[in-house]
Amino acid sequence: MGKRVTTRRRVPEGFRDAVGELEFWRDGVLGVRKRDGTLVEIPEEALVAAKVVAGGPRSGDPRGGGPVPG
């Protein structure tokens, strides 16, 4: 828990991705908190792929996430 993850899950329309902090994994459900605050609950049986990823861009990082000083 507490790690930044990317997930892919099966939905009726195809697949959906969610990237965020893994808040819980209990009773067959993963809870991923996206950066906009949305909690995505993913049943294990719908999960197709998941992995731990590096943290998001820092504020001031030229690749995004905030203004660049200077």
Side-chain angles (χ1 to χ4, degrees):
M1 288 355 100
K3 298 286 187 177
R4 183 172 163 82
V5 296
T6 181
T7 63
R8 177 160 291 167
R9 65 194 181 280
R10 189 173 289 112
V11 296
E13 303 81 28
F15 297 97
R16 296 288 308 261
D17 295 340
V19 178
E21 183 177 329
L22 180 62
E23 288 202 352
F24 64 85
W25 190 339
R26 63 177 176 265
D27 301 323
V29 178
L30 290 80
V32 177
R33 179 78 58 187
K34 295 174 21 176
R35 74 173 158 194
D36 68 2
T38 305
L39 179 65
V40 179
E41 294 189 359
I42 305 168
E44 284 179 344
E45 61 269 11
L47 189 65
V48 176
K51 68 178 180 178
V52 175
V53 294
R58 297 181 314 269
S59 180
D61 188 325
R63 293 169 292 182
V68 177

